[in-house]
Amino acid sequence: QVQLVESGGGLVQAGGSLRLSCAASGRTLRTYTVGWFRQAPGKEREFVAGSSWTGGGTLYADSVKGRFTISRDNAKLTVYLQMNSLKSEETAIYYCAARTSIVLTTNAYDYPSWGQGTQVTVSS
């Protein structure tokens, strides 16, 4: 029942950076875990990064460790994904998702609430 709106996507050259935002509204009190996923054309949706508000933990896909950082602004009800040193193969639609469980998972099927996505295009 939480509404999520992503923003911050765009065109960036390889090696560049972008910061994505995910603004939440609605029943945010039941939102314990937020994850970022991405999906390229013709490919499966894959986990990028996640954060468990209640547990205080974060989790990153191996491919983005050291380059991406997930953070939050509780006052603004917003989650961010800072993406540095972007690669061309990371061109995709990026989504934020939420679930009401305290457990942080990497499976997209475990997240019932999704934003509309924001396009990230990384040029060579």
Side-chain angles (χ1 to χ4, degrees):
Q1 295 294 322
V2 61
Q3 286 75 54
L4 305 171
V5 179
E6 302 97 332
S7 62
L11 176 64
V12 64
Q13 290 187 324
S17 300
L18 283 175
R19 189 180 74 160
L20 306 182
S21 299
C22 175
S25 62
R27 298 185 178 182
T28 57
L29 290 177
R30 296 184 178 88
T31 303
Y32 304 126
T33 299
V34 175
W36 285 95
F37 295 79
R38 63 189 177 193
Q39 187 167 21
K43 295 185 177 181
E44 295 286 331
R45 192 175 303 167
E46 66 175 349
F47 175 82
V48 177
S51 178
S52 175
W53 267 230
T54 302
T58 58
L59 186 65
Y60 297 92
D62 289 340
S63 61
V64 306
K65 287 182 179 178
R67 297 187 296 116
F68 290 12
T69 303
I70 188 170
S71 61
R72 66 182 181 182
D73 186 327
N74 292 334
K76 296 182 179 180
L77 299 178
T78 301
V79 179
Y80 304 96
L81 182 67
Q82 178 66 46
M83 306 186 295
N84 298 326
S85 301
L86 282 161
K87 305 173 182 179
S88 60
E89 60 265 33
E90 293 176 315
T91 293
I93 299 176
Y94 284 69
Y95 300 89
C96 65
R99 66 193 303 250
T100 58
S101 173
I102 189 175
V103 179
L104 203 171
T105 75
T106 62
N107 194 329
Y109 291 105
D110 293 328
Y111 292 78
S113 300
W114 293 83
Q116 83 288 349
T118 184
Q119 177 70 47
V120 172
T121 302
V122 184
S123 63
S124 301

